[in-house]
């Protein structure tokens, strides 16, 4: 038993300089776990509630109230509980909050305590977090999707689509995947410079932020970068896109401002299908707005058989929203962001539900991140198969890559997920190493 003895919390800063919650959990045996939670910019309406103060401080974005939740309410409720019983700790906080979206205490307060508890419990067992989450299975290093060109809410709306990412589908290890991704980023920057763009400015996730004339122009630049890097497009290095379509949906129309076009849902899906035909695209995230049910139906029929169709704002790491999507045959993969749901237990539940339905899972950071690396351990311990944390630059991103590189270096028996985890491949193939039973 590793009993929780005390908590402390404070107002920290994320990678955008916006306040966020830091929390330390101390156990009776002296072990400690510390976590600082991330925050999104292109957030879904159905996400758990991030509690902010309003008023003057930090332009209203202060989190003194959420910090107060940890100190005044969460601490007295979970002190004395066994930190190794994550489900009990998380359920206790959810019941204490009493709302469906954690709006009373704040999901930022609850997640900070949830993650710090997991880290303290692992420390007390003298295990790395990934191993505490998955004690009986060898680690599985995820296939990364790495941001190269950024648009949307992370780059001042320079282009409409939010992320153009490289997926090193031919790599045979995690470290090789990162080397390839880094090579593609450098080559893509060269291509942009030759075409007259400044590459010194980067977007929130470290992606290159250039005022390109269209979304296709960004795909052209990334494909040229892959070719210049010497990797074979589609075989060694493929492309993923996060359309983040909720962000440019206005009054029922999808407004591609950079191209001066306004599309209906079906037209947008047809446009994306044409991109998939013309470029080596293996994954499409948030092709439609978060509540565009008819659009998602059409996208699922048209795109899910040929590409990984990934729900982020659509599913918001919510067990009931994912279950409804699975019942309706919507999408074939889910992005998992712990702060969208507020506890590790619920995020893990989403991984379990997805896995049982043959949906692929991509663990994801947020655009506002922190120097913490626990997300990397979740990817390995939960064996999500894929991970998305932004570019290979900026320390809040490299903190996660570096942690994964260390785990691979230290664990000679570590398997690398590789391209077989991509949906729709994953659902046909269902490799047994992705279906471990008995995880906590
Ligand atoms: P966010 O972006 O953290 O700003 O929501 C990440 C994503 O959309 O995948
Ligand atoms: Zn997204």
């Amino acid at each position: 038993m590793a009993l929780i003895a005390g908590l402390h919390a404070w107002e920290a800063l994320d990678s955008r300089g916006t306040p966020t919650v830091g929390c330390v959990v101390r156990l009776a045996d002296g072990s400690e776990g510390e976590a600082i939670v991330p925050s999104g910019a292109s957030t879904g309406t159905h996400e758990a509630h991030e509690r902010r103060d309003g008023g003057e401080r930090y332009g209203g974005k202060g989190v003194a109230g959420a910090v107060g939740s940890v100190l005044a309410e969460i601490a007295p409720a979970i002190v004395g509980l066994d930190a190794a019983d994550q489900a009990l700790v998380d359920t206790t906080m959810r019941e204490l909050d009493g709302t469906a979206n954690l709006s009373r205490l704040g999901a930022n307060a609850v997640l900070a305590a949830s993650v710090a508890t997991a880290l303290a419990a692992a420390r007390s067992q003298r295990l790395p977090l990934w191993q505490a989450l998955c004690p009986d299975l060898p680690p599985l290093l995820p296939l990364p999707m790495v941001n190269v060109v950024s648009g949307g809410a992370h780059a001042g709306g320079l282009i409409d689509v939010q992320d153009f990412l490289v997926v090193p589908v031919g790599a045979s290890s995690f470290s090789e995947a990162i080397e390839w991704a880094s090579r593609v980023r450098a080559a893509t920057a060269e291509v942009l410079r030759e075409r007259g763009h400044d590459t010194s400015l980067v977007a929130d996730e470290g992606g290159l932020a250039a005022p390109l004339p269209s979304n296709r122009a960004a795909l052209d630049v990334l494909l040229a970068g892959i070719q210049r890097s010497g990797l074979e497009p589609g075989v060694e290095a493929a492309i993923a896109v996060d359309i983040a379509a909720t962000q440019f949906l206005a009054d029922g129309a999808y407004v591609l401002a950079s191209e001066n076009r306004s599309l209906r849902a079906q037209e947008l899906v047809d446009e994306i299908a044409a991109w998939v035909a013309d470029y080596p695209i293996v994954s499409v995230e948030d092709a439609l707005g978060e509540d565009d049910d008819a659009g998602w139906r059409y996208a699922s029929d048209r795109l899910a058989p040929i590409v990984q169709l990934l729900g982020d704002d659509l599913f918001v790491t919510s067990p009931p929203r994912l279950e409804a999507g699975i019942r309706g045959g919507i999408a074939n993969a889910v992005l998992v962001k712990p702060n969208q749901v507020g506890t590790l237990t619920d995020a893990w539940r989403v991984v379990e539900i997805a896995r049982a339905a043959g949906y692929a899972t991509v663990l994801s950071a947020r655009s506002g991140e922190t120097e913490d690396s626990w997300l990397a351990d979740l990817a390995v311990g939960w064996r999500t198969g894929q991970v998305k944390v932004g570019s290979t630059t900026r320390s809040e991103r490299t903190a996660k890559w570096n942690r994964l590189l260390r785990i691979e270096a230290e664990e000679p028996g570590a398997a690398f997920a590789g391209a077989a985890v991509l949906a729709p491949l994953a659902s046909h193939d269902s490799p047994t190493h992705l279906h471990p039973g008995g995880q906590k």
Side-chain angles (χ1 to χ4, degrees):
M1 287 275 257
L3 299 184
I4 298 176
L7 277 78
H8 209 72
W10 60 95
E11 190 173 54
L13 293 181
D14 72 17
S15 56
R16 275 191 282 254
T18 303
T20 186
V21 180
C23 176
V24 61
V25 167
R26 295 197 174 88
L27 306 188
D29 67 5
S31 310
E32 278 188 13
E34 177 185 330
I36 309 178
V37 296
S39 174
S42 68
T43 48
T45 313
H46 306 286
E47 293 192 19
H49 179 78
E50 191 174 64
R51 181 168 165 190
R52 301 220 173 257
D53 299 333
E56 294 285 306
R57 293 178 65 254
Y58 287 114
K61 292 186 174 171
V63 293
V67 166
S69 292
V70 178
L71 299 175
E73 296 203 52
I74 293 175
I78 68 171
V79 163
L81 299 186
D82 180 3
D85 193 344
Q86 186 78 41
L88 176 65
V89 172
D90 289 344
T91 308
T92 302
M93 291 193 285
R94 199 168 267 293
E95 282 171 4
L96 175 70
D97 177 87
T99 68
N101 64 354
L102 299 176
S103 56
R104 200 180 69 75
L105 298 170
N108 40 357
V110 172
L111 184 70
S114 180
V115 177
T117 298
L119 286 162
R123 183 66 60 83
S124 151
Q125 296 171 66
R126 299 181 185 281
L127 293 174
L129 178 61
W130 68 261
Q131 205 172 355
L133 295 169
C134 188
D136 304 324
L137 288 159
L140 180 68
L141 273 298
L143 176 70
M145 41 174 81
V146 181
N147 193 322
V148 179
V149 177
S150 290
H154 301 164
L158 287 174
I159 34 181
D160 313 288
V161 169
Q162 182 178 284
D163 304 336
F164 298 85
L165 309 103
V166 61
V167 189
V169 288
S172 55
S173 67
F174 180 77
S175 52
E176 186 172 53
I178 290 297
E179 195 272 320
W180 288 7
S182 161
R183 216 199 289 177
V184 169
R185 186 187 196 280
T188 306
E190 266 177 40
V191 170
L192 279 170
R193 277 194 292 276
E194 278 174 14
R195 297 183 187 182
H197 295 292
D198 181 5
T199 55
S200 56
L201 299 177
V202 297
D204 286 357
E205 297 193 4
L208 299 159
L212 294 164
S214 68
N215 296 289
R216 250 181 199 272
L219 288 165
D220 279 337
V221 162
L222 179 50
L223 179 58
I226 292 172
Q227 285 160 337
R228 162 119 14 150
S229 75
L231 295 167
E232 194 176 339
V235 175
E236 293 177 305
I239 293 175
V241 287
D242 181 0
I243 311 287
T246 306
Q247 294 292 311
F248 55 82
L249 174 59
D251 298 328
Y254 292 95
V255 181
L256 298 180
S258 74
E259 302 178 15
N260 210 3
R261 292 161 74 201
S262 177
L263 305 181
R264 292 193 311 271
Q266 288 209 359
E267 293 170 325
L268 177 61
V269 173
D270 292 344
E271 175 84 17
I272 295 167
W275 297 347
V276 172
D278 294 346
Y279 298 91
I281 295 175
V282 291
S283 180
V284 175
E285 180 177 334
D286 279 354
L288 280 313
E290 58 197 355
D291 290 316
D292 184 349
D293 294 345
W296 273 105
R297 170 82 275 140
Y298 181 71
S300 301
D301 293 343
R302 181 101 209 257
L303 297 174
I306 53 169
V307 85
Q308 175 165 277
L309 188 58
L310 183 53
D312 171 13
D313 293 351
L314 173 68
F315 294 137
V316 289
T317 316
S318 152
R321 279 187 73 90
L322 176 60
E323 278 165 340
I326 289 168
R327 274 196 303 277
I330 298 301
N332 56 23
V334 57
L335 203 75
V336 181
K337 290 169 164 171
N339 85 323
Q340 283 181 326
V341 67
T343 70
L344 286 185
T345 300
D346 289 306
W348 166 241
R349 178 94 195 100
V350 162
V351 175
E352 285 184 308
I353 293 167
R355 193 165 285 163
Y359 275 42
T361 51
V362 183
L363 193 71
S364 172
R366 301 306 305 243
S367 53
E369 261 300 328
T370 78
E371 59 273 32
D372 282 7
S373 63
W374 45 265
L375 193 86
D377 284 67
L378 297 187
V380 172
W382 286 352
R383 301 166 71 87
T384 58
Q386 297 176 64
V387 73
K388 177 188 180 210
V389 304
S391 173
T392 46
T393 67
R394 295 186 51 141
S395 297
E396 77 280 6
R397 314 288 148 191
T398 55
K400 284 73 165 172
W401 302 135
N402 288 342
R403 174 78 185 136
L404 291 163
L405 289 166
R406 175 178 164 182
I407 294 171
E408 186 173 71
E410 279 190 341
E411 298 294 329
F416 173 59
V421 293
L422 284 161
L425 266 182
S427 53
H428 298 316
D429 192 3
S430 291
T432 47
H433 64 263
L434 284 176
H435 295 265
Q439 289 185 35
K440 278 193 286 187

